[in-house]
Amino acid sequence: MPKISGSEAVIKCLINEGIEIIYGYPGGAIMPVYDELFKYQDKIHHVLTRHEQGASHAAQGFARISGKVGVAIATSGPGATNLVTGLADAQIDSTPMICITGQVSSKLLGSDAFQETDIIGISTPITKWNYQITNASEIPEIFAKAFYIAKSGRPGPVLIDITKDAQFELFDFSYSKINGIRSYNPIPDINNNKIKEAAKLINQAKKPLIVWGQGIILGNAEKELINLVDKTGIPAAWTILGASAIPTEHPLNVGMLGMHGNYAPNIKTNECDVLIAIGMRFDDRVTGDVTRYAKQAQIIHFEIDPAEVNKNIEVDIAVLGNAKQTLKEVIKYVHVNSHKNWLKEFSDLYQVEFNKVINAEINPTKKGLTMGEVIKQINEFTKGNAAIVSDVGQHQMVACRYANFKISKSNITSGGLGTMGFALPAALGAKMAAPNREVVAIIGDGGYQMTIQELGTVFQTKAAVKIVVLNNDFLGMVRQWQQLFFEKRYASTEMVNPDFVKIAEGYYIKAKRVNKRDELASAIEEMIKSKEPYFLEVVVEKEANVFPMIPTGSSVSEIRLS
């Protein structure tokens, strides 16, 4: 076989792994790889984003909706460091992603050469694995390992840094995928005794509660979760990254947990006798004050990552393994049951929340438009089949609370890191991964302007993303805290915004602005029916707050309705 360059080997590795779309931005230290990309345009479609952070978030959106590995590529120095936010976001949200960065020649490493940055040192805490390639012969093995590590077990991001001389070097190329690495055990063996102990506890429970997270979606365990819920009759609540694993309308889906979650599941967390946590990591936004979290309950934790067990909350039974397999096993031992009286307690509390919060949000009588009614109208025209990609802030909480989901992998948002600017590029990546699905980005006016340049990428790709900016002229979530806890000292949170419609039109994207209720439905209908990218700005109430709310440091029992 003829020898090939390291840069061509990079492309051949991606092709061998089935990669068809990558997101990136060229530069000097990665130019040899881009030269090979030019030759392989018929096999790999490169999307030129307007910023490397946009490339990383687009790769995340691609991965989150498809379940495949997303790929982003950048040059050395500032190109590499601009990927850092996306890497950190993917790490904490368990998103499978490969980031490829160019690096100065190996003889210049450590010399503070032009555009040299120690991206390996920088990214070590925020990647599942990283590696610097200085010899072309390393490329096939490192790429095979990278893809295996990124997508196996609990997924995560991997960064590969390649020196420029390694990209030019010639070598004999061959590629083999791998399905194992010595000392790396991504899926723990199932302990059948723990399965039986968990089933026994579930069968004895009088007031059980299931809380599920993204581990259900990452493990493709949606069917198994529904089977468990249906068989046992146990009410089930979700974290924001777990949303859509069970359809919104399922009778045992009792809503969202956490700081701005639903009233009933938060209150009942501290009243249940058995708490069954599946594929979630007891994040502080879910638990509130951990010293007062579910102290009355026996806790079962179904988890793939042993490091998460007893990290935040001490549990009584840990069932390790992929949720799809562990749930299949536990279903064999649990009894058919119903908990009608217990469920009625949830429905009674939902009615309290509906009367005090929800009805006013989705059926408002006041003059100003609410975020909730916008989401309600989107539900009307998408029938729960759309993928909702949200940024971070008040609009995120409202979107997660009120969006209807019929299909899994439909709620794509920045969970653990809380990255403003996530939604626009992530929605682009999601739409390119699932072109036949409706993808609607819900964004606040603050986060939108952090990655607004990606409108250029939307325009160039013609990806029919629907972009909805809920504009309250504030950094709304911070302002809400300032109102409630800092005596309305609105320090640096009021926004003086540009003409968003003109900006969108400058990118040749159809755009509209709505500030009246009687214009809203028709504007959303027009947006959803469009076969092209569409931007809709909705001017909402300036100082509206999102409730319910658990103040920081409070117990989930102290959730406030106003």
Side-chain angles (χ1 to χ4, degrees):
M1 293 179 63
K3 294 179 183 291
I4 67 170
S5 68
S7 53
E8 186 174 5
V10 169
I11 307 305
K12 286 184 174 289
C13 290
L14 295 175
I15 292 169
N16 273 279
E17 290 290 346
I19 300 302
E20 297 177 345
I21 299 175
I22 64 175
Y23 302 88
Y25 205 97
I30 197 67
M31 204 174 295
V33 173
Y34 269 85
D35 189 52
E36 293 299 331
L37 263 174
F38 184 80
K39 302 172 188 176
Y40 284 88
Q41 292 179 71
D42 59 329
K43 292 200 164 95
I44 295 183
H45 175 46
H46 175 269
V47 178
L48 174 64
T49 58
R50 298 307 186 258
H51 191 284
E52 293 88 353
Q53 182 180 343
S56 64
H57 292 327
Q60 286 180 271
F62 180 97
R64 292 274 289 274
I65 201 169
S66 68
K68 300 176 182 178
V69 178
V71 178
I73 183 168
T75 193
S76 63
T81 58
N82 281 343
L83 294 173
V84 165
T85 298
L87 284 165
D89 196 289
Q91 173 77 343
I92 201 165
D93 281 356
S94 305
T95 303
M97 180 169 71
I98 304 286
C99 285
I100 304 163
T101 54
Q103 185 55 274
V104 300
S105 293
S106 54
K107 66 182 180 181
L108 294 175
L109 289 173
S111 70
D112 292 332
F114 177 67
Q115 290 193 334
E116 182 197 2
T117 298
D118 179 12
I119 194 60
I120 295 298
I122 290 169
S123 66
T124 295
I126 54 170
T127 52
K128 191 175 177 185
W129 185 59
N130 63 12
Y131 190 89
Q132 185 175 77
I133 294 174
T134 56
N135 295 297
S137 59
E138 298 178 287
I139 289 172
E141 180 186 2
I142 296 307
F143 269 78
K145 280 185 176 180
F147 274 90
Y148 177 67
I149 291 169
K151 64 188 177 184
S152 60
R154 180 180 179 179
V158 171
L159 181 133
I160 305 172
D161 193 44
I162 312 174
T163 60
K164 197 166 185 179
D165 52 327
Q167 295 173 50
F168 282 119
E169 185 182 355
L170 300 178
F171 76 110
D172 294 316
F173 175 83
S174 65
Y175 192 81
S176 298
K177 293 184 181 182
I178 63 172
N179 55 16
I181 298 173
R182 190 176 66 179
S183 78
Y184 170 55
N185 182 28
I187 303 178
D189 293 332
I190 296 175
N191 183 328
N192 203 47
N193 289 330
K194 295 294 183 182
I195 293 285
K196 291 178 179 178
E197 288 176 26
K200 182 179 179 181
L201 201 53
I202 292 169
N203 291 334
Q204 293 172 347
K206 302 300 182 187
K207 294 185 174 184
L209 175 61
I210 289 172
V211 295
W212 89 81
Q214 191 186 200
I216 293 294
I217 295 170
L218 295 174
N220 298 308
E222 295 92 341
K223 180 181 177 182
E224 287 72 22
L225 176 61
I226 291 172
N227 288 344
L228 176 67
V229 169
D230 287 344
K231 185 175 182 180
T232 60
I234 298 175
W238 40 273
T239 69
I240 63 170
L241 293 184
S244 80
I246 292 180
T248 305
E249 300 303 323
H250 191 287
L252 293 171
N253 182 340
V254 294
M256 184 170 87
L257 296 158
M259 179 172 283
H260 291 284
N262 292 108
Y263 192 53
N266 277 300
I267 292 289
K268 294 303 175 184
T269 294
N270 276 4
E271 295 180 15
C272 65
D273 59 357
V274 175
L275 186 69
I276 305 138
I278 310 172
M280 56 88 76
R281 58 187 180 84
F282 294 107
D283 177 78
D284 63 290
R285 282 297 193 264
V286 167
T287 64
D289 180 4
V290 294
T291 66
R292 293 181 285 165
Y293 181 80
K295 289 301 179 183
Q296 79 296 335
Q298 291 181 281
I299 300 176
I300 305 168
H301 194 183
F302 289 81
E303 177 57 50
I304 198 169
D305 184 357
E308 292 295 344
V309 175
N310 296 323
K311 185 177 83 172
N312 297 325
I313 297 293
E314 291 288 327
V315 302
D316 297 278
I317 301 171
V319 181
L320 295 176
N322 181 294
K324 189 175 187 69
Q325 302 305 320
T326 54
L327 292 184
K328 273 184 181 177
E329 292 302 311
V330 81
I331 287 168
K332 295 177 183 177
Y333 301 104
V334 294
H335 299 159
V336 175
N337 208 338
S338 66
H339 297 276
K340 291 182 179 178
N341 292 335
W342 175 232
L343 279 168
K344 187 176 184 304
E345 294 182 35
F346 282 85
S347 61
D348 289 346
L349 288 181
Y350 173 80
Q351 197 59 50
V352 171
E353 182 183 352
F354 184 86
N355 293 339
K356 292 190 175 182
V357 177
I358 296 173
N359 191 45
E361 182 69 32
I362 63 174
N363 300 305
T365 56
K366 47 194 169 186
K367 184 179 179 181
L369 289 167
T370 68
M371 295 184 183
E373 67 180 308
V374 178
I375 305 302
K376 180 185 177 184
Q377 287 294 335
I378 290 171
N379 289 337
E380 289 290 324
F381 291 104
T382 62
K383 307 301 181 187
N385 293 311
I388 303 296
V389 185
S390 55
D391 216 83
V392 172
Q394 288 181 316
H395 68 278
Q396 176 193 34
M397 295 296 101
V398 172
C400 291
R401 282 174 53 80
Y402 297 118
N404 287 338
F405 298 116
K406 289 184 179 178
I407 305 168
S408 186
K409 299 185 179 74
S410 290
N411 187 52
I412 300 168
T413 193
S414 174
L417 195 65
T419 303
M420 293 176 70
F422 171 87
L424 181 57
L428 168 73
K431 184 63 179 179
M432 296 188 77
N436 295 323
R437 291 200 64 188
E438 196 68 70
V439 176
V440 182
I442 308 293
I443 318 178
D445 50 307
Y448 180 58
Q449 293 179 82
M450 289 193 170
T451 52
I452 195 171
Q453 71 278 352
E454 298 309 330
L455 287 175
T457 317
V458 172
F459 162 61
Q460 186 166 346
T461 61
K462 306 300 182 188
V465 178
K466 310 302 167 61
I467 305 157
V468 180
V469 166
L470 302 180
N471 184 4
N472 57 10
D473 291 316
F474 265 114
L475 299 177
M477 186 62 82
V478 183
R479 184 215 55 76
Q480 177 169 335
W481 281 66
Q482 289 172 333
Q483 177 186 334
L484 298 177
F485 307 113
F486 293 88
E487 298 176 341
K488 292 190 176 182
R489 292 187 293 274
Y490 293 162
S492 302
T493 47
E494 189 164 10
M495 305 284 287
V496 179
N497 287 318
D499 188 327
F500 290 126
V501 170
K502 284 185 178 179
I503 291 173
E505 289 175 341
Y507 284 102
Y508 305 99
I509 294 171
K510 187 167 185 179
K512 182 171 284 190
R513 185 175 194 261
V514 169
N515 57 17
K516 295 178 181 177
R517 184 160 290 120
D518 59 7
E519 301 170 337
L520 181 62
S522 61
I524 290 176
E525 181 179 20
E526 179 181 319
M527 176 185 73
I528 297 300
K529 287 183 176 179
S530 174
K531 303 299 183 186
E532 299 176 347
Y534 194 108
F535 172 82
L536 177 64
E537 176 188 1
V538 183
V539 179
V540 296
E541 285 189 316
K542 193 168 183 179
E543 294 186 56
N545 292 327
V546 181
F547 287 103
M549 178 182 185
I550 303 169
T552 296
S554 297
S555 161
V556 292
S557 301
E558 295 170 321
I559 186 168
R560 295 169 50 173
L561 291 172
S562 61

